[in-house]
Amino acid sequence: MDQDQYDGDGNYMPQEDDWDRDLLLDPAWEKQQRKTFTAWCNSHLRKAGTQIENIEEDFRDGLKLMLLLEVISGERLAKPERGKMRVHKISNVNKALDFIASKGVKLVSIGAEEIVDGNAKMTLGMIWTIILRFAIQDISVEETSAKEGLLLWCQRKTAPYKNVNIQNFHISWKDGLGFCALIHRHRPELIDYGKLRKDDPMTNLNTAFDVAEKYLDIPKMLDAEDIVGTARPDEKAIMTYVSSFYHAFSGAQKAETAANRICKVLAVNQENEQLMEDYEKLATDLLEWIRRTIPWLENRLPENTMQAMQQKLEDFRDYRRLHKPPKVQEKCQLEINFNTLQTKLRLSNRPAFMPSEGKMVSDINNAWGNLEGAEKGYEEWLLNEIRRLERLDHLAEKFRQKAAIHEAWTEGKEEMLQKRDYETASLSEIKALLKKHEAFESDLAAHQDRVEQIAAIAQELNELDYYDSPSVNARCQRICDQWDALGALTQKRSEALQRTEKLLETIDQLYLEFAKRAAPFNNWMEGAMEDLQDTFIVHTIEEIQGLSTAHEQFKATLPEADKERQAILGIHNEIAKIVQTYHVNMAGTNPYTTINPQEINAKWDKVRQLVPQRDQALIEEHARQQNNERLRRQFANQANVIGPWIQTKMEEIGRISIEMHGTLEDQLTHLRQYEKSIVNYKPKIDQLEGDHQLIQEALIFDNKHTNYTMEHIRVGWEQLLTTIARTINEIENQILTRDAKGISQEQLNEFRASFNHFDRDHSGTLGAEEFKACLISLGFDIANDAQGENEFSRIMSIVDPNRMGIVTFQAFIDFMSRETADTDTADQVMASFKVLAGDKNYILADELRRELPPDQAEYCIARMAPYTGPDGVPGALDYMSFSTALYGESDL
């Protein structure tokens, strides 16, 4: 049994997951458990001359439960109580549960009260616990027990059979082949297994269950339909059934185990002898390979080239990768075979195996240790030699790389230092040349370290006797001589650049001040021109007034701006004077700005030209905005009157349609007067449309004087016309219904009062629950049961055929008029039938043609075909058939 089926004291307890599944038992599984557990209990109770019929009822008094435990345990329980009272039954069940607990079983959540109360799930759980303890717990197969042991026993027994794969106690048994295989394995004469088909589970299961019941004394615990008809048969039911097969065949299993044990002993002896032979051969081959390999690893003859040493290293890697791994595996397998052989001999009480002299495991380990020692020394030697050659090659390559980098860096540097480009440069260019020269000096200082490294590498190559040392030394000397020449030229150029810089600083300061003042002034003029030429879009008087105010403020700044212009031009004149006096070679224009005096004067003239143009544009726009404001107010004054007027009329029409003042004709007259007054209001709507047209043409998009838009007015007007027309139509339909059905004005008033009472939201419609309450208030018998719900569903299908979930007053009136007229219609049908039938209780086709108008007679005759009258007269109608032919089944 699994370890998790015991608590800390060694007591057996059902697994938690099994018990949880009981609480959520599938109905199909519950049926299977009832049938299986009942049959299992009866297989033991019949030994005591009794049985049970209903598993949860027959154990309620505890008597048969105690008897069952005595039969399956062979022990006597305490004397039961014979009383019929509940306390006696609980006492008996508690004695049974105490006995189960005394066997090391902990009953989780199972109490005597649930068993006495006939709790099916608790009773099934208790019986399953008993089955686990007394029928499954003691099953043991190959060191596994209980459920796992039973499953392993089934797998061992059914392994040779085709189409049988037992992995669990549910779907593995659905095709019935597992049951048949168990029977055939122990009693092959009872079942012809070769004729069974996997696709015929019903036949397989019935065959197995019938044979087990007839020949093996295993009661039929399940029907084939219970297993085949369930997607996943109940695991507990299958385990209970299969455990009965295990106990039936346990005797045969013991004999089979003895035979297997003898065969196993013989097979072990043969296997041991083969292992001895294999060890001797494998040991001989491995020792010979070690003897051949060690001399090769001890060869230390060095090579002069890296290529030759790398070939040796590659050969060694091939040895490690290709030749040694199989031998490592052989050595490991040799030790495994030796240990396995010794263990098997010891378990069989046989003498230990002694290999030939020199082929013991210790001898092989010693030889292998010598091999690995030689291998380690050879590898270290190879790596040291390769490192030495790599060091020389690395230093030579490093010298070449550093020398090439330095030579590439110095290329053109002497010509660059000898240039006299500073003589025609501007101050900014001089400063740039100085910065560039300072950067070169920093770069030169940084390259000092590389030159020193080149010299150090050349010195190390000389010390290591590098074969190409003369060429290395010559190249190193050229680099050092060139380095000294670059230092002298660098100092000379630095002094010349500093002298030129001082000469141009004065002019540069004036250039800089001109740029600092000209740039913002130029930006101001460009911004002013942009603002003066900007196309403005405004929608209100306030916006245009704001623009005018800003423009006046701008004009006030023009005198101060003219003073700044004259000061900037004075700076430029001073620069020209200095250049002419000191004959300075100016290589270009002002380096700090592209703005010149001519450009400043041209833009200033443009600004002065645009100011009066802006004045005129603002005056024109101000006049246009005044006109737009007049149009807004004109539209708002009318819209603020028409909008509320429409809303008021909508509310008044709603009240007229709901209230019950006067007759329907009075309400209709009132509504038509309302309709006429509404139509007479149309000219005001048209006038508002005209004002709206003027607003659109003026491109006016908002109006702060009203919340109404023309679209709101149009929609409200259309809704008003639609509402008055629909309301008039509803009153006319109510008058037609009243006249056609003979409903009095008082009835209509009563219907309207009831409808309005339950129309809580005054929407003119009733929801399903509101309509139901209204019907009940009018005397309809609609109970809160299934019959009442069906009746209400029938009524809703009449008043709400489209299933909108609402009932209009017109539908309500139609339904009520129909209900009040049903009794009168039935009486008229009976009277008509008696007149036409005379003394008979049926009517023939000729009688209909004689008594009815031709078109009505033929209509009824056409509907007589499906009916047969009394005494089998074809084409005859009795009273019910007659009424159905005339009015249909749903009307009467």
Side-chain angles (χ1 to χ4, degrees):
M1 180 173 289
D2 289 345
Q3 187 65 32
D4 59 1
Q5 290 179 306
Y6 290 89
D7 61 11
D9 300 328
N11 296 321
Y12 175 79
M13 61 185 296
Q15 295 187 15
E16 290 286 337
D17 56 347
D18 288 342
W19 185 245
D20 291 341
R21 286 196 297 272
D22 284 339
L23 297 176
L24 303 171
L25 198 60
D26 183 83
W29 291 1
E30 182 176 352
K31 177 183 177 184
Q32 295 176 24
Q33 288 188 17
R34 286 175 180 274
K35 187 177 295 184
T36 304
F37 292 178
T38 300
W40 184 86
C41 292
N42 285 336
S43 69
H44 294 285
L45 288 173
R46 67 185 181 184
K47 299 174 184 177
T50 186
Q51 65 178 12
I52 61 172
E53 296 295 333
N54 188 310
I55 195 166
E56 67 263 32
E57 291 295 329
D58 294 346
F59 284 140
R60 291 180 64 181
D61 59 4
L63 296 176
K64 290 187 178 180
L65 178 59
M66 296 178 67
L67 181 60
L68 174 65
L69 291 173
E70 289 182 348
V71 171
I72 62 179
S73 66
E75 300 178 24
R76 294 289 296 176
L77 274 70
K79 184 177 180 180
E81 301 285 345
R82 294 296 177 179
K84 300 296 185 179
M85 298 178 65
R86 177 180 174 82
V87 66
H88 299 139
K89 296 178 181 181
I90 292 176
S91 175
N92 291 337
V93 174
N94 273 325
K95 291 176 181 179
L97 296 180
D98 292 341
F99 177 80
I100 296 173
S102 70
K103 296 301 179 182
V105 178
K106 284 191 175 181
L107 297 170
V108 181
S109 302
I110 300 178
E113 289 79 7
E114 286 86 357
I115 306 302
V116 172
D117 293 337
N119 187 311
K121 291 179 173 55
M122 292 297 180
T123 303
L124 291 174
M126 178 190 67
I127 297 301
W128 172 242
T129 302
I130 294 172
I131 293 172
L132 278 176
R133 173 60 184 84
F134 296 99
I136 298 177
Q137 177 181 345
D138 296 330
I139 296 175
S140 178
V141 177
E142 297 184 9
E143 300 181 357
T144 63
S145 60
K147 176 182 176 180
E148 289 73 19
L150 182 59
L151 181 62
L152 181 61
W153 177 77
C154 295
Q155 292 171 341
R156 293 287 185 269
K157 295 302 180 181
T158 60
Y161 291 86
K162 180 177 66 175
N163 293 330
V164 178
N165 182 19
I166 304 301
Q167 298 297 328
N168 49 57
F169 287 106
H170 36 84
I171 59 175
S172 295
W173 302 87
K174 283 193 68 173
D175 57 11
L177 294 177
F179 290 103
C180 294
L182 288 178
I183 296 174
H184 186 266
R185 179 65 181 268
H186 297 89
R187 297 287 300 276
E189 74 279 6
L190 298 180
I191 291 179
D192 188 356
Y193 189 86
K195 293 183 179 181
L196 301 177
R197 293 185 298 110
K198 186 176 180 64
D199 59 355
D200 190 8
M202 293 293 293
T203 300
N204 301 339
L205 290 167
N206 284 324
T207 299
F209 295 165
D210 293 339
V211 168
E213 185 176 34
K214 185 176 181 180
Y215 297 101
L216 304 177
D217 198 28
I218 298 175
K220 190 173 184 180
M221 299 182 182
L222 288 171
D223 293 327
E225 294 80 4
D226 297 332
I227 298 178
V228 174
T230 306
R232 186 179 187 271
D234 181 66
E235 186 179 54
K236 299 179 179 62
I238 298 297
M239 283 181 64
T240 303
Y241 213 159
V242 173
S243 67
S244 299
F245 283 80
Y246 172 86
H247 292 296
F249 297 135
S250 60
Q253 182 181 3
K254 293 179 181 177
E256 182 180 354
T257 302
N260 290 339
R261 187 177 294 112
I262 295 173
C263 294
K264 186 176 181 179
V265 171
L266 294 176
V268 167
N269 289 338
Q270 294 175 350
E271 184 180 356
N272 291 342
E273 293 175 0
Q274 184 63 43
L275 287 174
M276 294 177 188
E277 295 177 5
D278 293 344
Y279 178 86
E280 289 287 337
K281 183 177 183 308
L282 195 58
T284 301
D285 294 343
L286 184 59
L287 289 171
E288 176 60 24
W289 178 80
I290 293 173
R291 185 188 63 77
R292 294 195 310 268
T293 303
I294 288 178
W296 174 70
L297 294 173
E298 292 177 343
N299 181 13
R300 300 290 191 274
L301 183 64
E303 299 290 345
N304 294 326
T305 65
M306 176 63 73
Q307 183 178 2
M309 289 305 298
Q310 286 179 340
Q311 184 59 48
K312 281 183 175 288
L313 181 60
E314 188 63 28
D315 294 341
F316 181 70
R317 288 173 177 167
D318 288 343
Y319 157 77
R320 280 271 185 86
R321 184 174 61 253
L322 302 176
H323 303 296
K324 185 180 179 183
K327 299 304 177 182
V328 174
Q329 184 64 30
E330 289 179 9
K331 177 178 177 297
C332 179
Q333 189 61 45
L334 187 71
E335 294 175 355
I336 291 173
N337 291 349
F338 182 81
N339 293 333
T340 301
L341 176 60
Q342 298 293 39
T343 300
K344 289 184 176 182
L345 291 173
R346 183 172 64 255
L347 293 175
S348 303
N349 294 323
R350 301 287 301 279
F353 168 64
M354 291 296 296
S356 303
E357 184 177 357
K359 297 180 182 178
M360 294 287 291
V361 172
S362 59
D363 297 329
I364 294 172
N365 287 335
N366 291 334
W368 190 266
N370 294 333
L371 173 71
E372 290 189 334
E375 178 182 317
K376 181 179 180 182
Y378 187 68
E379 182 179 22
E380 291 176 352
W381 175 78
L382 279 176
L383 294 177
N384 289 333
E385 282 296 306
I386 289 174
R387 289 192 194 99
R388 185 182 68 83
L389 293 175
E390 280 182 345
R391 176 64 177 167
L392 280 175
D393 289 348
H394 173 70
L395 285 174
E397 180 61 26
K398 188 175 181 180
F399 176 83
R400 287 191 292 270
Q401 289 179 356
K402 287 184 175 295
I405 292 172
H406 179 78
E407 290 167 349
W409 180 81
T410 59
E411 184 177 358
K413 293 294 188 296
E414 291 185 15
E415 291 78 4
M416 183 269 293
L417 292 173
Q418 293 173 355
K419 285 183 179 180
R420 302 179 68 85
D421 49 354
Y422 52 84
E423 292 180 348
T424 59
S426 63
L427 178 60
S428 60
E429 291 172 340
I430 288 295
K431 289 185 177 293
L433 290 174
L434 275 171
K435 294 293 183 183
K436 183 177 179 180
H437 189 70
E438 290 173 0
F440 174 76
E441 287 178 330
S442 298
D443 195 14
L444 187 69
H447 276 270
Q448 176 69 33
D449 185 56
R450 178 178 287 113
V451 174
E452 293 175 356
Q453 290 178 3
I454 291 172
I457 293 172
Q459 179 65 28
E460 188 173 359
L461 287 172
N462 287 327
E463 292 173 355
L464 293 176
D465 296 328
Y466 182 57
Y467 72 95
D468 198 19
S469 291
S471 63
V472 169
N473 292 334
R475 191 173 185 181
C476 180
Q477 187 61 44
R478 288 195 302 272
I479 290 173
C480 291
D481 293 343
Q482 187 184 34
W483 184 254
D484 293 338
L486 287 175
L489 291 173
T490 299
Q491 179 63 29
K492 183 178 179 180
R493 182 173 175 81
S494 176
E495 293 172 354
L497 288 172
Q498 290 174 4
R499 286 193 303 267
T500 306
E501 178 188 21
K502 293 179 180 179
L503 180 63
L504 298 177
E505 280 183 345
T506 302
I507 295 175
D508 185 73
Q509 289 295 326
L510 292 173
Y511 271 146
L512 181 59
E513 185 171 354
F514 178 88
K516 287 181 178 179
R517 298 181 69 171
F521 185 73
N522 183 68
N523 289 338
W524 177 85
M525 289 191 297
E526 289 179 348
M529 288 189 294
E530 182 179 351
D531 292 340
L532 290 171
Q533 297 178 92
D534 185 25
T535 301
F536 50 83
I537 300 176
V538 295
H539 301 287
T540 64
I541 289 291
E542 292 78 5
E543 291 178 359
I544 192 61
Q545 289 175 346
L547 289 177
S548 298
T549 301
H551 182 63
E552 292 300 323
Q553 292 173 352
F554 167 75
K555 289 194 296 183
T557 64
L558 290 178
E560 190 66 29
D562 188 42
K563 291 180 181 180
E564 177 66 15
R565 178 182 67 87
Q566 294 175 3
I568 293 171
L569 294 176
I571 294 173
H572 181 269
N573 294 333
E574 186 177 356
I575 293 173
K577 183 177 179 181
I578 293 174
V579 170
Q580 184 178 5
T581 301
Y582 295 99
H583 305 286
V584 178
N585 184 12
M586 300 300 297
T589 58
N590 192 330
Y592 298 108
T593 182
T594 59
I595 303 171
N596 54 61
Q598 294 78 16
E599 183 178 353
I600 292 175
N601 287 328
K603 290 182 178 179
W604 175 255
D605 294 340
K606 182 66 175 176
V607 168
R608 294 182 63 82
Q609 180 185 354
L610 290 173
V611 169
Q613 297 177 6
R614 184 71 166 186
D615 290 336
Q616 183 61 31
L618 290 172
I619 292 171
E620 294 174 354
E621 181 61 26
H622 188 272
R624 192 175 71 86
Q625 288 302 323
Q626 285 179 331
N627 184 60
N628 288 351
E629 182 67 12
R630 181 184 59 79
L631 292 175
R632 288 191 185 96
R633 292 181 181 276
Q634 183 176 320
F635 177 86
N637 291 336
Q638 296 185 73
N640 289 336
V641 174
I642 294 175
W645 182 86
I646 292 175
Q647 181 64 32
T648 301
K649 292 301 179 182
M650 290 286 289
E651 294 173 355
E652 291 175 354
I653 293 171
R655 287 197 299 270
I656 292 173
S657 64
I658 294 175
E659 294 172 353
M660 299 177 294
H661 299 308
T663 64
L664 292 177
E665 285 78 2
D666 294 338
Q667 295 179 28
L668 183 59
T669 299
H670 195 185
L671 285 171
R672 284 175 176 166
Q673 292 173 352
Y674 256 83
E675 183 180 27
K676 183 177 180 180
S677 66
I678 290 170
V679 172
N680 291 335
Y681 202 79
K682 183 65 166 57
K684 293 186 179 181
I685 303 296
D686 296 337
Q687 181 181 355
L688 189 64
E689 285 282 7
D691 293 340
H692 178 67
Q693 179 65 27
L694 294 176
I695 285 179
Q696 288 186 322
E697 292 173 356
L699 299 178
I700 300 173
F701 302 106
D702 58 348
N703 193 339
K704 65 181 180 180
H705 303 296
T706 181
N707 293 326
Y708 292 99
T709 65
M710 196 61 225
E711 184 62 26
H712 293 155
I713 299 297
R714 290 193 194 106
V715 172
W717 177 255
E718 292 170 0
Q719 289 180 347
L720 180 60
L721 294 177
T722 303
T723 301
I724 188 64
R726 184 176 64 248
T727 306
I728 290 173
N729 179 256
E730 289 177 354
I731 298 298
E732 290 173 342
N733 288 336
Q734 293 175 24
I735 292 173
L736 292 174
T737 302
R738 180 198 65 189
D739 296 342
K741 301 296 184 176
I743 302 175
S744 66
Q745 184 63 42
E746 289 74 14
Q747 289 177 306
L748 281 175
N749 291 340
E750 181 184 0
F751 296 157
R752 167 56 77 181
S754 297
F755 189 91
N756 290 345
H757 175 75
F758 290 98
D759 183 12
R760 307 295 187 188
D761 56 359
H762 304 292
S763 62
T765 61
L766 296 181
E769 292 301 321
E770 292 175 338
F771 179 60
K772 184 176 182 181
C774 182
L775 291 178
I776 294 173
S777 72
L778 292 173
F780 282 77
D781 186 12
I782 302 177
N784 289 324
D785 53 17
Q787 182 177 359
E789 289 299 325
N790 292 334
E791 174 63 14
F792 183 66
S793 297
R794 181 190 70 81
I795 295 173
M796 284 298 294
S797 67
I798 296 173
V799 298
D800 184 21
N802 295 325
R803 296 184 179 180
M804 300 295 290
I806 59 174
V807 180
T808 64
F809 182 68
Q810 185 61 43
F812 174 68
I813 289 297
D814 292 342
F815 170 74
M816 293 304 298
S817 62
R818 175 178 175 174
E819 290 295 317
T820 56
D822 279 348
T823 303
D824 295 339
T825 301
D827 295 339
Q828 294 170 5
V829 171
M830 176 57 76
S832 300
F833 179 81
K834 289 181 178 180
V835 170
L836 295 176
D839 296 333
K840 307 187 299 302
N841 58 356
Y842 59 85
I843 304 172
L844 297 176
D846 291 340
E847 294 173 334
L848 288 174
R849 289 190 180 96
R850 185 173 61 251
E851 299 295 339
L852 297 179
D855 54 344
Q856 297 180 7
E858 293 305 325
Y859 173 78
C860 291
I861 292 170
R863 302 185 68 179
M864 290 170 64
Y867 302 101
T868 300
D871 303 326
V873 178
L877 298 178
D878 57 11
Y879 169 68
M880 288 305 295
S881 301
F882 174 71
S883 62
T884 302
L886 287 179
Y887 297 100
E889 295 180 359
S890 64
D891 291 336
L892 294 174

